[in-house]
mmCIF file of all heavy atoms in Angstrom:
data_model
loop_
_atom_site.group_PDB
_atom_site.id
_atom_site.type_symbol
_atom_site.label_atom_id
_atom_site.label_comp_id
_atom_site.label_asym_id
_atom_site.label_seq_id
_atom_site.Cartn_x
_atom_site.Cartn_y
_atom_site.Cartn_z
ATOM 1 N N GLU H 1 94.916 365.003 24.480
ATOM 2 C CA GLU H 1 96.300 364.907 24.915
ATOM 3 C C GLU H 1 96.772 363.460 24.815
ATOM 4 O O GLU H 1 95.967 362.514 24.846
ATOM 5 C CB GLU H 1 96.442 365.402 26.358
ATOM 6 C CG GLU H 1 96.082 366.865 26.556
ATOM 7 C CD GLU H 1 97.039 367.801 25.831
ATOM 8 O OE1 GLU H 1 98.219 367.422 25.648
ATOM 9 O OE2 GLU H 1 96.611 368.911 25.448
ATOM 10 N N ASP H 2 98.085 363.262 24.709
ATOM 11 C CA ASP H 2 98.643 361.924 24.552
ATOM 12 C C ASP H 2 98.250 360.984 25.681
ATOM 13 O O ASP H 2 98.127 359.767 25.475
ATOM 14 C CB ASP H 2 100.170 361.979 24.455
ATOM 15 C CG ASP H 2 100.641 362.576 23.140
ATOM 16 O OD1 ASP H 2 99.814 362.699 22.208
ATOM 17 O OD2 ASP H 2 101.830 362.924 23.044
ATOM 18 N N ASP H 3 98.068 361.521 26.893
ATOM 19 C CA ASP H 3 97.772 360.673 28.040
ATOM 20 C C ASP H 3 96.274 360.523 28.298
ATOM 21 O O ASP H 3 95.862 359.964 29.316
ATOM 22 C CB ASP H 3 98.468 361.205 29.297
ATOM 23 C CG ASP H 3 98.054 362.631 29.649
ATOM 24 O OD1 ASP H 3 97.301 363.243 28.848
ATOM 25 O OD2 ASP H 3 98.486 363.128 30.700
ATOM 26 N N TYR H 4 95.452 361.014 27.367
ATOM 27 C CA TYR H 4 94.001 360.875 27.547
ATOM 28 C C TYR H 4 93.603 359.406 27.361
ATOM 29 O O TYR H 4 94.009 358.759 26.388
ATOM 30 C CB TYR H 4 93.251 361.740 26.537
ATOM 31 C CG TYR H 4 91.759 361.766 26.755
ATOM 32 C CD1 TYR H 4 91.194 362.624 27.685
ATOM 33 C CD2 TYR H 4 90.928 360.910 26.034
ATOM 34 C CE1 TYR H 4 89.816 362.640 27.895
ATOM 35 C CE2 TYR H 4 89.555 360.917 26.234
ATOM 36 C CZ TYR H 4 89.007 361.780 27.167
ATOM 37 O OH TYR H 4 87.646 361.784 27.374
ATOM 38 N N PRO H 5 92.780 358.852 28.269
ATOM 39 C CA PRO H 5 92.416 357.422 28.194
ATOM 40 C C PRO H 5 91.330 357.157 27.150
ATOM 41 O O PRO H 5 90.166 356.914 27.480
ATOM 42 C CB PRO H 5 91.934 357.117 29.608
ATOM 43 C CG PRO H 5 91.380 358.422 30.100
ATOM 44 C CD PRO H 5 92.265 359.494 29.495
ATOM 45 N N LEU H 6 91.712 357.218 25.922
ATOM 46 C CA LEU H 6 90.773 357.026 24.817
ATOM 47 C C LEU H 6 90.112 355.655 24.859
ATOM 48 O O LEU H 6 90.732 354.654 25.228
ATOM 49 C CB LEU H 6 91.515 357.158 23.487
ATOM 50 C CG LEU H 6 92.101 358.519 23.133
ATOM 51 C CD1 LEU H 6 93.159 358.356 22.054
ATOM 52 C CD2 LEU H 6 91.001 359.463 22.673
ATOM 53 N N ARG H 7 88.867 355.623 24.394
ATOM 54 C CA ARG H 7 88.177 354.352 24.135
ATOM 55 C C ARG H 7 87.980 354.253 22.619
ATOM 56 O O ARG H 7 87.356 355.123 22.003
ATOM 57 C CB ARG H 7 86.824 354.278 24.847
ATOM 58 C CG ARG H 7 86.909 354.153 26.352
ATOM 59 C CD ARG H 7 85.550 353.767 26.923
ATOM 60 N NE ARG H 7 85.268 352.363 26.693
ATOM 61 C CZ ARG H 7 84.058 351.859 26.429
ATOM 62 N NH1 ARG H 7 83.014 352.669 26.291
ATOM 63 N NH2 ARG H 7 83.882 350.559 26.272
ATOM 64 N N ILE H 8 88.504 353.196 22.045
ATOM 65 C CA ILE H 8 88.481 353.002 20.594
ATOM 66 C C ILE H 8 87.758 351.701 20.278
ATOM 67 O O ILE H 8 87.949 350.687 20.967
ATOM 68 C CB ILE H 8 89.914 352.951 20.023
ATOM 69 C CG1 ILE H 8 90.667 354.248 20.338
ATOM 70 C CG2 ILE H 8 89.896 352.690 18.522
ATOM 71 C CD1 ILE H 8 92.143 354.193 19.982
ATOM 72 N N ALA H 9 86.947 351.701 19.221
ATOM 73 C CA ALA H 9 86.331 350.473 18.712
ATOM 74 C C ALA H 9 86.696 350.301 17.248
ATOM 75 O O ALA H 9 86.668 351.267 16.481
ATOM 76 C CB ALA H 9 84.815 350.524 18.872
ATOM 77 N N ASP H 10 87.051 349.076 16.889
ATOM 78 C CA ASP H 10 87.381 348.735 15.500
ATOM 79 C C ASP H 10 86.371 347.694 15.039
ATOM 80 O O ASP H 10 86.368 346.561 15.536
ATOM 81 C CB ASP H 10 88.811 348.194 15.425
ATOM 82 C CG ASP H 10 89.230 347.806 14.016
ATOM 83 O OD1 ASP H 10 88.522 348.164 13.061
ATOM 84 O OD2 ASP H 10 90.281 347.150 13.876
ATOM 85 N N ILE H 11 85.514 348.069 14.114
ATOM 86 C CA ILE H 11 84.406 347.227 13.679
ATOM 87 C C ILE H 11 84.841 346.367 12.503
ATOM 88 O O ILE H 11 85.239 346.883 11.461
ATOM 89 C CB ILE H 11 83.182 348.084 13.278
ATOM 90 C CG1 ILE H 11 82.862 349.109 14.371
ATOM 91 C CG2 ILE H 11 81.981 347.194 12.990
ATOM 92 C CD1 ILE H 11 82.706 348.540 15.745
ATOM 93 N N GLY H 12 84.751 345.045 12.660
ATOM 94 C CA GLY H 12 85.247 344.129 11.640
ATOM 95 C C GLY H 12 86.761 344.120 11.654
ATOM 96 O O GLY H 12 87.415 344.317 10.632
ATOM 97 N N THR H 13 87.333 343.845 12.808
ATOM 98 C CA THR H 13 88.769 344.073 13.027
ATOM 99 C C THR H 13 89.686 343.153 12.236
ATOM 100 O O THR H 13 90.819 343.499 11.956
ATOM 101 C CB THR H 13 89.090 343.966 14.538
ATOM 102 O OG1 THR H 13 90.382 344.488 14.800
ATOM 103 C CG2 THR H 13 88.978 342.525 15.035
ATOM 104 N N GLY H 14 89.213 341.966 11.853
ATOM 105 C CA GLY H 14 90.060 341.055 11.078
ATOM 106 C C GLY H 14 91.316 340.681 11.834
ATOM 107 O O GLY H 14 91.276 340.143 12.939
ATOM 108 N N SER H 15 92.462 340.988 11.262
ATOM 109 C CA SER H 15 93.746 340.694 11.898
ATOM 110 C C SER H 15 94.056 341.642 13.049
ATOM 111 O O SER H 15 95.055 341.464 13.755
ATOM 112 C CB SER H 15 94.871 340.787 10.863
ATOM 113 O OG SER H 15 94.992 342.115 10.374
ATOM 114 N N GLY H 16 93.219 342.655 13.252
ATOM 115 C CA GLY H 16 93.462 343.667 14.276
ATOM 116 C C GLY H 16 94.309 344.820 13.790
ATOM 117 O O GLY H 16 94.725 345.669 14.584
ATOM 118 N N ALA H 17 94.558 344.903 12.497
ATOM 119 C CA ALA H 17 95.540 345.840 11.950
ATOM 120 C C ALA H 17 95.302 347.285 12.375
ATOM 121 O O ALA H 17 96.198 347.947 12.910
ATOM 122 C CB ALA H 17 95.560 345.738 10.423
ATOM 123 N N ILE H 18 94.096 347.803 12.131
ATOM 124 C CA ILE H 18 93.836 349.215 12.417
ATOM 125 C C ILE H 18 93.894 349.479 13.911
ATOM 126 O O ILE H 18 94.548 350.426 14.371
ATOM 127 C CB ILE H 18 92.477 349.649 11.841
ATOM 128 C CG1 ILE H 18 92.447 349.479 10.319
ATOM 129 C CG2 ILE H 18 92.176 351.093 12.201
ATOM 130 C CD1 ILE H 18 91.091 349.759 9.700
ATOM 131 N N LEU H 19 93.217 348.648 14.688
ATOM 132 C CA LEU H 19 93.186 348.848 16.138
ATOM 133 C C LEU H 19 94.579 348.797 16.743
ATOM 134 O O LEU H 19 94.959 349.666 17.545
ATOM 135 C CB LEU H 19 92.298 347.791 16.779
ATOM 136 C CG LEU H 19 92.204 347.845 18.304
ATOM 137 C CD1 LEU H 19 91.616 349.170 18.768
ATOM 138 C CD2 LEU H 19 91.384 346.675 18.833
ATOM 139 N N LEU H 20 95.362 347.806 16.379
ATOM 140 C CA LEU H 20 96.688 347.645 16.968
ATOM 141 C C LEU H 20 97.625 348.771 16.532
ATOM 142 O O LEU H 20 98.473 349.216 17.311
ATOM 143 C CB LEU H 20 97.252 346.277 16.614
ATOM 144 C CG LEU H 20 96.435 345.100 17.163
ATOM 145 C CD1 LEU H 20 97.007 343.783 16.680
ATOM 146 C CD2 LEU H 20 96.358 345.134 18.688
ATOM 147 N N ALA H 21 97.466 349.249 15.309
ATOM 148 C CA ALA H 21 98.269 350.397 14.867
ATOM 149 C C ALA H 21 97.959 351.623 15.723
ATOM 150 O O ALA H 21 98.865 352.347 16.155
ATOM 151 C CB ALA H 21 97.998 350.692 13.394
ATOM 152 N N LEU H 22 96.669 351.852 15.990
ATOM 153 C CA LEU H 22 96.290 353.005 16.808
ATOM 154 C C LEU H 22 96.777 352.864 18.240
ATOM 155 O O LEU H 22 97.281 353.823 18.842
ATOM 156 C CB LEU H 22 94.768 353.179 16.769
ATOM 157 C CG LEU H 22 94.187 353.621 15.425
ATOM 158 C CD1 LEU H 22 92.674 353.506 15.434
ATOM 159 C CD2 LEU H 22 94.612 355.050 15.094
ATOM 160 N N LEU H 23 96.638 351.674 18.809
ATOM 161 C CA LEU H 23 97.100 351.461 20.179
ATOM 162 C C LEU H 23 98.611 351.634 20.290
ATOM 163 O O LEU H 23 99.115 352.090 21.320
ATOM 164 C CB LEU H 23 96.684 350.078 20.666
ATOM 165 C CG LEU H 23 95.180 349.851 20.846
ATOM 166 C CD1 LEU H 23 94.920 348.416 21.325
ATOM 167 C CD2 LEU H 23 94.563 350.851 21.802
ATOM 168 N N SER H 24 99.335 351.268 19.230
ATOM 169 C CA SER H 24 100.792 351.422 19.261
ATOM 170 C C SER H 24 101.197 352.896 19.286
ATOM 171 O O SER H 24 102.285 353.236 19.752
ATOM 172 C CB SER H 24 101.429 350.730 18.051
ATOM 173 O OG SER H 24 101.227 351.479 16.850
ATOM 174 N N GLU H 25 100.316 353.771 18.802
ATOM 175 C CA GLU H 25 100.604 355.197 18.750
ATOM 176 C C GLU H 25 100.044 355.957 19.950
ATOM 177 O O GLU H 25 100.501 357.065 20.246
ATOM 178 C CB GLU H 25 100.024 355.801 17.463
ATOM 179 C CG GLU H 25 100.653 355.274 16.181
ATOM 180 C CD GLU H 25 102.022 355.877 15.912
ATOM 181 O OE1 GLU H 25 102.403 356.832 16.620
ATOM 182 O OE2 GLU H 25 102.710 355.396 14.988
ATOM 183 N N ARG H 26 99.046 355.386 20.600
ATOM 184 C CA ARG H 26 98.386 356.067 21.723
ATOM 185 C C ARG H 26 98.481 355.182 22.967
ATOM 186 O O ARG H 26 97.612 354.357 23.240
ATOM 187 C CB ARG H 26 96.924 356.353 21.380
ATOM 188 C CG ARG H 26 96.735 357.252 20.177
ATOM 189 C CD ARG H 26 97.172 358.688 20.401
ATOM 190 N NE ARG H 26 96.457 359.333 21.492
ATOM 191 C CZ ARG H 26 96.267 360.644 21.582
ATOM 192 N NH1 ARG H 26 96.742 361.455 20.630
ATOM 193 N NH2 ARG H 26 95.637 361.162 22.612
#
């Protein structure tokens, strides 16, 4: 569900692109 407190890891995050995109959506 949208309000589920997901835990996400981004390995080799660099600029943070993938992680920040996901956080912006969830």
Side-chain angles (χ1 to χ4, degrees):
E1 297 294 332
D2 289 346
D3 59 354
Y4 186 83
L6 294 161
R7 290 193 76 215
I8 301 172
D10 180 12
I11 310 307
T13 194
S15 64
I18 299 174
L19 178 61
L20 297 176
L22 291 169
L23 293 179
S24 75
E25 296 283 350
R26 299 291 301 206

